[in-house]
Amino acid sequence: MGRIIAFDIGDKRIGVAVSDPFNEMALPVETYWRKSLAKDVDYLVSLAKSRFAETIVCGLPLNFDGKECEQTEKTRFFIEELKKKTDVEVVTQDERFSTKEARRLLLEADMRREKRKDVIDKIAASYILEDYLKRTKL
């Protein structure tokens, strides 16, 4: 059974999380600072390969009401570029509350703003992956 890797795709950073070997838990891995579309896609594809991922889950940003927005379009474009470069299955997961939950968690931990910027995206990616794991277990 291969692992599942998740990406929280933002304009400046991409959070990365990976499942445990049994696909039960989501583990935050890293925050990748974006460079260019080609470099970003290549990096994520190689990361998925190095983690033996059988599925790539990309968070899909939607408005609170579930409708698509400008960020949804940007993310869909990135996902299409990712799909062109990998034979790993790429799926999307509603990410509406992932960053909000990650921010709440880090504020409760009393983490300083500078440090939060380094970890918020990988925590958000772990929430995206947890939601996906719950949804696919049903």
Side-chain angles (χ1 to χ4, degrees):
M1 172 184 345
R3 291 187 179 203
I4 302 169
I5 194 165
F7 303 133
D8 178 33
I9 303 161
D11 290 332
K12 295 180 182 175
R13 298 177 307 271
I14 298 173
V16 180
V18 68
S19 67
D20 69 296
F22 306 104
N23 292 330
E24 297 286 331
M25 296 185 311
L27 310 166
V29 173
E30 71 174 275
T31 298
Y32 170 79
W33 290 79
R34 296 192 62 175
K35 294 162 182 56
S36 70
L37 179 62
K39 286 181 182 178
D40 301 344
V41 169
D42 288 346
Y43 180 77
L44 296 182
V45 167
S46 70
L47 187 61
K49 194 175 287 186
S50 73
R51 295 287 180 150
F52 305 101
E54 285 185 356
T55 305
I56 296 170
V57 179
C58 296
L60 194 63
L62 301 168
N63 283 332
F64 186 71
D65 61 5
K67 292 190 174 139
E68 295 197 3
C69 56
E70 182 183 346
Q71 198 62 37
T72 313
E73 289 179 37
K74 289 181 187 178
T75 303
R76 282 194 189 281
F77 178 79
F78 187 94
I79 291 168
E80 289 308 311
E81 294 302 306
L82 192 60
K83 285 179 177 179
K84 290 176 188 175
K85 295 280 190 153
T86 184
D87 55 358
V88 176
E89 178 186 28
V90 180
V91 299
T92 60
Q93 173 66 39
D94 181 350
E95 70 158 50
R96 267 180 279 185
F97 305 106
S98 61
T99 302
K100 183 178 176 184
E101 281 299 307
R103 186 173 289 114
R104 182 190 59 75
L105 176 75
L106 297 174
L107 287 171
E108 283 178 8
D110 202 27
M111 187 175 284
R112 291 191 7 226
R113 170 178 258 144
E114 304 83 44
K115 182 73 174 148
R116 280 196 313 258
K117 194 182 282 191
D118 290 334
V119 299
I120 193 164
D121 299 294
K122 67 181 176 181
I123 301 291
S126 72
Y127 279 114
I128 291 165
L129 183 51
E130 276 183 20
D131 288 345
Y132 176 81
L133 291 172
K134 285 180 202 167
R135 182 170 59 95
T136 57
K137 288 244 186 278
L138 301 178

